[in-house]
Amino acid sequence: VSMKAEDWLQLPELIVDDVPVALQGAGLKAYREMERTMVAEVGGEEISATTAAALTGKLLQLCSGAVYDAEGQVARIHECKIEAFLEVVEQLHGEHALVFYWFQHERDRLLEALASTGKRCRVYKGVQEERNWNAGEIDILLAHPASTAYGLNLQQGGHHVIWFGYPNWTLELYQQANARLYRQGQKQPVISHLLVVQD
């Protein structure tokens, strides 16, 4: 027997908002090259993937705007997704957002982009961030879905989720991460904004 929370709880609506992101210039060129040949030149560095699984990870990174090279250094490529993210944050008109990233360079670039916004931004590290978020003391909470997908009650701090980066092939992590806000005690419709690179 399987039962979902929605089957026996009165939950507000969960709305999925697909936010299209168009890759342009160097970002699109690097993506197409990597997709076709498993190798791309980025800023004079050769980025390669040796397996299909590694290729998927590199393509996800390219979509977000930066990629790790062979030495683990971050090669920046474009700001298309960062710009789309900042537009979504602006459209929230001060409402709080739980933001999911997948790669550490995504987290670092998001913090850098948010530095000039005047928003109270934090990275989820533990119980203190959970308390501060639920008390309304954090405007933007950056979180890795693997760190926050289970057991956290974050529904008091807001009702917007922004997906900047995605769990690679892990539907359960995606669903569980959304359930940090879309759960018992949530009073407002939860809006999950998905930043999706087109084509």
Side-chain angles (χ1 to χ4, degrees), residues 16-137:
V16 176
D17 172 31
D18 288 333
V19 179
V21 178
L23 282 190
Q24 300 167 349
L28 182 59
K29 181 179 181 285
Y31 186 94
R32 294 290 183 230
E33 191 178 340
M34 177 66 77
E35 181 182 43
R36 197 177 65 255
T37 66
M38 297 178 76
V39 177
E41 189 173 318
V42 175
E45 284 287 319
E46 187 177 274
I47 308 294
S48 64
T50 55
T51 65
L55 176 63
T56 301
K58 294 293 184 192
L59 292 175
L60 280 172
Q61 291 178 63
L62 281 167
C63 284
S64 76
V67 65
Y68 291 115
D69 65 18
E71 284 78 44
Q73 299 301 309
V74 178
R76 292 183 179 219
I77 303 162
H78 65 82
E79 297 296 315
C80 303
K81 207 168 191 184
I82 290 282
E83 290 167 9
F85 167 76
L86 290 173
E87 284 179 25
V88 170
V89 168
E90 188 177 322
Q91 291 167 4
L92 298 182
H93 300 291
E95 293 196 35
H96 301 170
L98 175 59
V99 178
F100 289 112
Y101 63 88
W102 191 247
F103 298 100
Q104 289 182 12
H105 64 68
E106 292 175 336
R107 176 202 61 207
D108 297 342
R109 291 173 55 241
L110 286 167
L111 286 170
E112 185 180 300
L114 289 164
S116 62
T117 65
K119 303 269 184 211
R120 299 171 295 175
C121 304
R122 297 271 290 279
V123 175
Y124 177 82
K125 293 180 184 158
V127 176
Q128 191 58 53
E129 285 76 25
E130 180 181 1
R131 288 185 188 135
N132 293 146
W133 166 262
N134 281 324
E137 298 165 359

Side-chain angles (χ1 to χ4, degrees), residues 182-199:
Y182 185 61
R183 61 192 297 108
Q184 186 174 11
Q186 179 60 257
K187 305 274 192 271
Q188 300 183 63
V190 173
I191 304 171
S192 184
H193 307 272
L194 310 180
L195 300 178
V196 182
V197 173
Q198 301 298 285
D199 301 322

